[in-house]
Amino acid sequence: MKFDRPRLRVAQEKSAFADGSSRWTNRDLDPIPLHRRKWGVTSLVAYWISDAFNAATWEFASGIIAVGLTYRESLVIVAVSFLIISIVISANGAIGAIYHSPFPVLARASWGFWGSYVAIISRIILAIFWFAIQTVNGSNSVTVMIGAIWPSYLRLKNDIPADQGITTNGMVSFVIFWIIQFPFLCAHPNKLRWLFMAKSIIVPIAWIAILIWAFVAEGGGKIFEQKATVSGSQYSWLWLASLTSTIGNYATLSVNQSDFSRYSRVSVKWQLLYIPMLPIIFTFIAFIGVAASSAGQARYNLAEIPWDPNVLISHWSSRACRFFGAFSFALASLGVNISANSLSAANDFAALVPRYLNIRRGQILCAILAWCLVPWKILESAGSFLNFMSAYAVFLGPIAGIMAFDFWLVKKRKYDSLALYHPDGIYRYSFGGVNWRAIVAFICGVVPSIPGLINSVNSSIDVGVGVHPYQFGWLLGFVGTSLVYLLLSYIFPATETLIDRAVLPDEIYDGRATVVEGVEPDSQLAGSDEEKNAMRAGRDADSQEKSGFKKFVTNLDRFL
């Protein structure tokens, strides 16, 4: 059959935002219309509970304790870290809740159309790598699950060379977990809220049960008697470095929270809920990790604390407990991989090549590229590379700062949602589609941390006191970049982008103000006849699904 390029293109419809060109948008990048905003308060809370319960959060305290601090200090650091990052997440998430566009599109307002690629590419690299690594983590849980049902699975003959960093059963588990993720990669984000709700119920129950076991079995172990082994200036620098490391794990969502908040149908004020909620949830999970790991060491007389939950679970005598315990961590990895990595990468891919990639294709591409990275080998042999990926937060702090301060202070919350989709509009800026103020501020925020970043990747390179700025690189980058950006924006204002009133997407969607229970009458649907029919079909399909338990949860969601 003759290769036909047009068949590879995603559906392109001339909408209220697209001008018929597919260079800068497609249906998935357009603002979410009113009838497709499904996320209420319950969905938003479930999303964050789902995102918090994962193995990385469980292990937050391990790295902090390993450098010489106590469990108390580790929990304080986790709480302070998420208090800081939750404020930024709320600030940038509010932009999506107001304008209902994804992060790659909203970045155009502060970076310019072509300048936004700096933020998009920085984010997409991290998303792909962490998707691959989280898939390995999930596959390790699958190995424990299968081993609990079929013990011989753990003794399968290994035909893979040792230097590859994976065994035969590990590879089989990786394939199984990768396949399990695939249906969720093909689902629309509105449908995924049910995954997050399920995970936010199942996983917390399982982990609280593990916490109870930890205190019933060994009283939490001996880690609660530990004292700090560092003092003075070393203590202070380690405290800051641990703070930066913890923030770095969720620095990505401080940048692209709008990818999810764009589906919100509740008041933007609900984004403030994250500020008290996130520190409490993440600190509690870190405490579970400390108590359970310490109890496991004491109960099984292990030489080292089993910080990896899969290692802890593998020592349990009950096969049923091993299976369901590992299942909770596999589900945790699945949820966070979709919410924090694949969906983010998909939005970024769609923004780079909107003619050929939408959210579904972008997620599938992310999953395919995960194989190309050979993540099991990275985890086995390239500790310095993982240090670099963790250190990548020094780039994300400046990006988050530019976007937040541009919206709240420079533009005073006034964006033109239509201009975000037209490259010749007000967000072209005067430098060929690049806001040079953002670029200069970004460089100023990143450069001080570069010496320390180099040292973290290759410790043989001595950078002297240059390592210290890197130890609080996210904070330095966020604050420094924000101040430089504000200064440049006030001295050299981009006056064409400073508008008198905000232009919201609902205004562009032509008369969608009157809504009955969140659904517009057919007469108010804008667009072509084909688009109207698609909207009606989607609306009818959604209404048919809302029965039984889903109907109960939906009504509760509306009530809240």
Side-chain angles (χ1 to χ4, degrees):
M1 179 181 293
K2 185 178 179 180
F3 179 72
D4 187 8
R5 285 183 57 191
R7 292 186 179 181
L8 297 177
R9 297 177 182 175
V10 299
Q12 300 292 338
E13 298 157 344
K14 188 172 181 179
S15 68
F17 290 86
D19 57 1
S21 167
S22 56
R23 177 63 190 86
W24 294 103
T25 191
N26 58 36
R27 186 179 180 85
D28 283 346
L29 293 178
D30 277 358
I32 301 299
L34 200 57
H35 74 284
R36 292 175 59 204
R37 299 170 196 166
K38 306 287 186 180
W39 290 42
V41 177
T42 305
S43 300
L44 295 172
V45 172
Y47 165 81
W48 270 107
I49 293 177
S50 169
D51 213 49
F53 278 83
N54 68 86
T57 311
W58 175 288
E59 297 173 350
F60 270 158
S62 63
I64 300 174
I65 294 174
V67 297
L69 303 181
T70 68
Y71 87 94
R72 296 182 186 86
E73 290 151 338
S74 71
L75 296 180
V76 170
I77 288 171
V78 171
V80 173
S81 298
F82 280 94
L83 177 60
I84 294 171
I85 201 69
S86 66
I87 295 173
V88 185
I89 289 172
S90 296
N92 280 325
I95 309 175
I98 295 172
Y99 290 92
H100 301 286
S101 291
F103 150 70
V105 172
L106 294 174
R108 297 168 185 170
S110 50
W111 292 80
F113 271 73
W114 291 107
S116 66
Y117 281 19
V118 173
I120 294 171
I121 293 173
S122 296
R123 175 66 187 94
I124 203 171
I125 291 172
L126 202 62
I128 296 171
F129 273 102
W130 282 118
F131 180 91
I133 292 168
Q134 283 285 2
T135 301
V136 174
N137 292 337
S139 69
N140 291 336
S141 298
V142 169
T143 299
V144 177
M145 290 170 61
I146 298 177
I149 300 173
W150 178 33
S152 298
Y153 180 75
L154 302 176
R155 299 187 295 274
L156 286 179
K157 181 182 177 182
N158 181 33
D159 296 321
I160 300 177
D163 62 354
Q164 295 304 304
I166 195 170
T167 60
T168 298
N169 56 19
M171 179 60 75
V172 173
S173 297
F174 184 88
V175 173
I176 292 173
F177 189 73
W178 189 89
I179 293 174
I180 289 173
Q181 293 181 108
F182 204 83
F184 298 98
L185 301 177
C186 298
H188 190 275
N190 268 329
K191 306 298 182 184
L192 290 173
R193 71 190 193 279
W194 300 114
L195 167 65
F196 302 144
M197 286 183 181
K199 179 185 170 182
S200 68
I201 296 172
I202 296 171
V203 178
I205 291 174
W207 289 17
I208 291 172
I210 294 175
L211 177 63
I212 295 172
W213 165 85
F215 281 96
V216 170
E218 294 292 338
K222 298 181 179 180
I223 200 169
F224 298 104
E225 303 170 5
Q226 182 189 31
K227 296 182 179 180
T229 60
V230 294
S231 60
S233 62
Q234 185 183 7
Y235 175 92
S236 301
W237 286 117
L238 285 176
W239 209 97
L240 281 173
S242 300
L243 183 78
T244 298
S245 176
T246 305
I247 289 176
N249 281 273
Y250 276 81
T252 53
L253 286 169
S254 70
V255 171
N256 69 292
Q257 177 61 20
S258 54
D259 286 343
F260 304 95
S261 62
R262 65 188 297 225
Y263 296 98
S264 171
R265 57 176 172 78
V266 295
S267 169
V268 68
K269 294 179 181 178
W270 281 105
Q271 296 295 311
L272 295 173
L273 178 66
Y274 303 150
I275 297 175
M277 182 177 71
L278 299 192
I280 294 172
I281 293 175
F282 281 89
T283 305
F284 176 62
I285 298 171
F287 175 73
I288 295 176
V290 169
S293 300
S294 176
Q297 181 191 33
R299 186 171 184 82
Y300 302 111
N301 297 315
L302 303 177
E304 297 181 354
I305 297 177
W307 291 112
D308 184 341
N310 290 306
V311 173
L312 171 66
I313 292 171
S314 65
H315 285 88
W316 292 351
S317 57
S318 169
R319 291 168 61 181
C321 288
R322 289 205 306 272
F323 177 85
F324 287 108
F327 171 77
S328 73
F329 282 94
L331 179 58
S333 295
L334 170 64
V336 76
N337 222 10
I338 300 297
S339 64
N341 298 319
S342 69
L343 273 174
S344 301
N347 279 287
D348 296 339
F349 275 128
L352 292 177
V353 196
R355 179 174 300 175
Y356 296 103
L357 295 178
N358 53 20
I359 289 179
R360 178 180 298 174
R361 293 183 182 183
Q363 290 199 88
I364 294 173
L365 179 58
C366 176
I368 293 173
L369 290 175
W371 280 94
C372 301
L373 297 177
V374 197
W376 51 87
K377 197 165 185 177
I378 293 174
L379 285 169
E380 178 67 19
S381 61
S384 60
F385 182 79
L386 283 182
N387 288 337
F388 171 77
M389 294 308 297
S390 298
Y392 210 82
V394 301
F395 298 100
L396 298 179
I399 294 172
I402 288 171
M403 293 187 65
F405 282 92
D406 179 79
F407 178 75
W408 292 99
L409 294 183
V410 177
K411 304 291 198 306
K412 295 180 171 35
R413 297 177 296 170
K414 298 172 184 175
Y415 280 176
D416 183 337
S417 59
L418 184 60
L420 289 171
Y421 293 86
H422 292 269
D424 295 325
I426 62 174
Y427 300 120
R428 177 177 175 80
Y429 290 93
S430 59
F431 199 68
V434 176
N435 182 4
W436 63 269
R437 304 159 193 80
I439 301 298
V440 172
F442 177 76
I443 294 173
C444 291
V446 169
V447 166
S449 298
I450 295 299
L453 175 61
I454 294 172
N455 177 260
S456 74
V457 174
N458 187 348
S459 58
S460 64
I461 300 176
D462 185 12
V463 297
V465 296
V467 72
H468 293 318
Y470 167 75
Q471 290 178 312
F472 59 104
W474 187 92
L475 283 172
L476 177 63
F478 180 85
V479 175
T481 296
S482 301
L483 291 176
V484 172
Y485 183 73
L486 287 174
L487 182 64
L488 292 175
S489 296
Y490 282 115
I491 296 176
F492 308 102
T495 54
E496 71 278 9
T497 67
L498 306 178
I499 55 181
D500 294 330
R501 58 177 293 273
V503 180
L504 300 175
D506 288 348
E507 298 179 55
I508 310 301
Y509 276 129
D510 189 24
R512 296 190 181 184
T514 303
V515 181
V516 179
E517 295 185 350
V519 179
E520 309 88 332
D522 288 349
S523 61
Q524 293 180 330
L525 293 176
S528 63
D529 290 340
E530 182 181 354
E531 186 177 12
K532 290 179 182 179
N533 291 333
M535 290 178 180
R536 295 187 190 107
R539 186 183 64 195
D540 294 342
D542 288 340
S543 64
Q544 291 174 4
E545 290 181 359
K546 294 177 181 176
S547 59
F549 177 72
K550 288 185 177 181
K551 185 175 181 180
F552 168 76
V553 175
T554 301
N555 290 334
L556 175 63
D557 195 306
R558 286 177 176 171
F559 173 77
L560 293 174

